[in-house]
Amino acid sequence: MDKEVNILGIAGSLRKDSYNRALLRAANELVQKEAGLEIFDLEGIPSFNQDLEENIPERVREFKQKIRASDAILIATPEYNYSVPGVLKNAIDWASRPPGDNAFAGKPVAVMSVYTGMLGGARAQYHLRQIFVATDMRPLNRPEVFVASASQKFDANGRLTDEITKKFVAQLLEALVAVAKKHKTESGSVIF
Ligand SMILES: Cc1cc2nc3c(=O)[nH]c(=O)nc-3n(C[C@H](O)[C@H](O)[C@H](O)COP(=O)(O)O)c2cc1C
């Protein structure tokens, strides 16, 4: 993470061929030169247990360090049963704790969703936006990126092929980088 704006990408799916992780990889190719995107895989983050907060698991420590070192967060998530997948909510719960040590506080954040059907993603995104209030993040309102009918937008190797989706992702990245730059200037430091 050594660019002017360093973005941490988080996928809300552990699936090997996850479309949402594939969308983050596509974002990595579309991000402006002055910015970099690193994807953090949520694999290995254990179930949240408040008893472990005094001595947090190593993978959680690593996650919190990556969040703190970043200037902005980009989440790509599917919708599970009309809401945020448990694996993502679990990771957010870890990173937000204990009180006074919320790694997300003040971070600019943007969201995208890919789903296999025609309708989906919106409910997960709006539930996430509610969580951003609790975690005191700075969500980007627009553009909203919802990618329907995933199998028609990616090739067999998981590469994003749909030009309209690429355009929306590029716009979202541009807006996120602009907000992150402004935020860095205003806060003078990225330590929260
Ligand atoms: C447990 C589960 C619940 C799901 N619920 C929804 C849902 O509520 N709305 C929706 O649009 N898709 C739903 N889906 C389908 C996902 O959008 C689809 O599997 C998507 O490709 C998962 O993202 P991924 O490719 O990044 O793993 C669900 C899938 C699973 C496994």
Side-chain angles (χ1 to χ4, degrees), residues 53-141:
E53 276 189 330
E54 301 246 314
N55 189 14
I56 59 171
E58 190 47 40
R59 188 76 180 139
V60 175
R61 195 183 310 279
E62 204 184 326
F63 184 44
K64 291 185 77 170
Q65 275 168 0
K66 291 283 183 192
I67 295 166
R68 285 220 158 85
S70 71
D71 302 307
I73 307 290
L74 176 61
I75 295 175
T77 186
E79 177 175 292
Y80 278 3
N81 293 314
Y82 288 14
S83 191
V84 180
V87 68
L88 177 59
K89 178 65 164 59
N90 180 63
I92 292 173
D93 289 345
W94 268 120
S96 69
R97 297 279 305 176
D101 194 25
N102 170 15
F104 284 123
K107 290 283 173 197
V109 60
V111 198
M112 323 184 277
S113 299
V114 194
Y115 36 96
T116 43
M118 293 294 289
L119 177 78
R123 290 159 295 217
Q125 286 204 22
Y126 290 123
H127 285 183
L128 257 183
R129 287 178 185 276
Q130 186 172 323
I131 293 166
F132 296 154
V133 178
T135 49
D136 193 23
M137 299 178 82
R138 306 287 175 265
L140 195 72
N141 286 336

Side-chain angles (χ1 to χ4, degrees), residues 119-188:
L119 177 78
R123 290 159 295 217
Q125 286 204 22
Y126 290 123
H127 285 183
L128 257 183
R129 287 178 185 276
Q130 186 172 323
I131 293 166
F132 296 154
V133 178
T135 49
D136 193 23
M137 299 178 82
R138 306 287 175 265
L140 195 72
N141 286 336
R142 283 165 192 267
E144 294 186 289
V145 177
F146 300 109
V147 185
S149 308
S151 62
Q152 294 166 32
K153 311 278 168 65
F154 293 82
D155 68 16
N157 299 315
R159 279 186 70 89
L160 179 65
T161 50
D162 185 67
E163 293 303 322
I164 295 172
T165 303
K166 283 185 191 174
K167 205 177 92 188
F168 275 115
V169 172
Q171 281 174 5
L172 178 114
L173 286 165
E174 203 176 308
L176 183 63
V177 167
V179 166
K181 274 187 191 167
K182 190 162 179 277
H183 188 258
K184 272 179 100 164
T185 314
E186 282 169 357
S187 57

